[in-house]
Amino acid sequence: MKRILLVIGAKGMLGRDLMSVLQSSLPNDEIIGWDIEEIDIQKEEDTVTNLGKLRPDIVVHIAAYTDVDGCESDEEKAFAVNAEGTKHVALAATRCQAKMVYLSTDYVFDGNKREPYLESDSPHPLNVYGRSKLKGEQYVQEWVKDALIIRTQWLYGRYGKNFVTSILQQAREKRVLSIVNDQIGSPTYTADLAKVISVLIQFNAQGIFHVANSDLCTWYIFGQAILKLSGMDKMRVIPISSKDLGRPAVRPSYSVLNCQKLKKETGLTLRPWSEALKDYLTTHRLTIGRPDSQGR
Ligand SMILES: NC(=O)c1ccc[n+]([C@@H]2O[C@H](COP(=O)([O-])OP(=O)(O)OC[C@H]3O[C@@H](n4cnc5c(N)ncnc54)[C@H](OP(=O)(O)O)[C@@H]3O)[C@@H](O)[C@H]2O)c1
């Protein structure tokens, strides 16, 4: 029987990749994408009513207020969208008896562990964004039976501004780049993540899963790889500390995710981040540096 899959946040960076992956990998299902124009998840009644009319079988909730520094100065909005908004979606999904998939973040951890984080490790977010997303996780667990929560990190992709487009933009404008070298994680390509989300849906996976490209690096190492693969390795790059950069939100110095559970339950391991980056830069060479060229 044809199922209805609803993606909320369908026009974001991950959302656009996810829509096309779901459309091609689940051809017998109807894939519907909503974003802020169709539904404002901050509004409980609208969210419940709109989902009630559509009656989806699966709700993939990836909408969020993702500006990590912006969340620090606007805590109210961070919690209204990422926590309360998620509660509204969870409530609506439960009323429709829909399965729910929620995207969360490595920023639920504080980085003190210094070895890859397991799904069972206790979260302890350092910033408002992490706290609001963790609250979202808790609402999903509280309201939806057998929900799937996927924690991921350091996303970049074809659609939307991200670290890769920002480095290439800065490389065109500046003579020297300063990049943070005291945060360790795994850059993750949205096209790879989207495929895993589709597989996890097909496996009817439940509970928390960590999903990221394999291998780890700092933003500085990642930045150097971007420049090298783009033929700009002559650019001078200076490693700096997070303190030197002085961003409003504190980030964990180590937030590598252990993805062994994914491997054990589905057989999947994501390729190393360096391979994914090469693929991304080769595939999107013409549009790189113009992240809004796809209409956003
Ligand atoms: N980016 C990362 O590095 C990263 C890392 C870990 C986890 N995640 C999680 O992965 C998911 C996707 O991230 P992303 O980077 O693809 O995000 P994104 O590009 O910022 O997309 C999020 C989408 O949600 C929409 N949205 C915001 N507020 C909304 C509201 N009240 N109602 C309905 N839609 C709303 C946004 O619309 P506007 O653009 O108009 O606001 C946007 O289209 C998020 O849940 C995020 O927390 C991201």
Side-chain angles (χ1 to χ4, degrees), residues 96-160:
C96 311
Q97 294 180 313
K99 184 179 165 53
M100 183 167 171
V101 182
Y102 173 61
L103 256 287
S104 189
T105 170
D106 57 327
Y107 285 179
V108 297
F109 296 116
D110 61 18
N112 291 335
K113 190 182 173 195
R114 308 309 293 183
E115 57 183 271
Y117 279 95
L118 294 161
E119 288 82 354
S120 53
D121 283 325
S122 296
H124 180 234
L126 298 177
N127 56 42
V128 172
Y129 171 74
R131 285 204 296 279
S132 65
K133 291 291 293 184
L134 178 61
K135 190 76 196 164
E137 282 189 15
Q138 290 161 348
Y139 279 137
V140 171
Q141 286 164 327
E142 188 182 326
W143 285 96
V144 189
K145 200 170 147 264
D146 304 331
L148 168 63
I149 295 174
I150 299 169
R151 295 195 188 121
T152 189
Q153 65 177 173
W154 293 26
L155 294 185
Y156 65 92
R158 181 175 184 188
Y159 307 103

Side-chain angles (χ1 to χ4, degrees), residues 35-51:
D35 207 281
I36 190 85
E37 293 88 6
E38 290 81 18
I39 187 173
D40 180 353
I41 60 168
Q42 291 180 83
K43 297 177 183 157
E44 177 174 343
E45 213 182 301
D46 287 2
T47 305
V48 172
T49 307
N50 287 345
L51 263 79

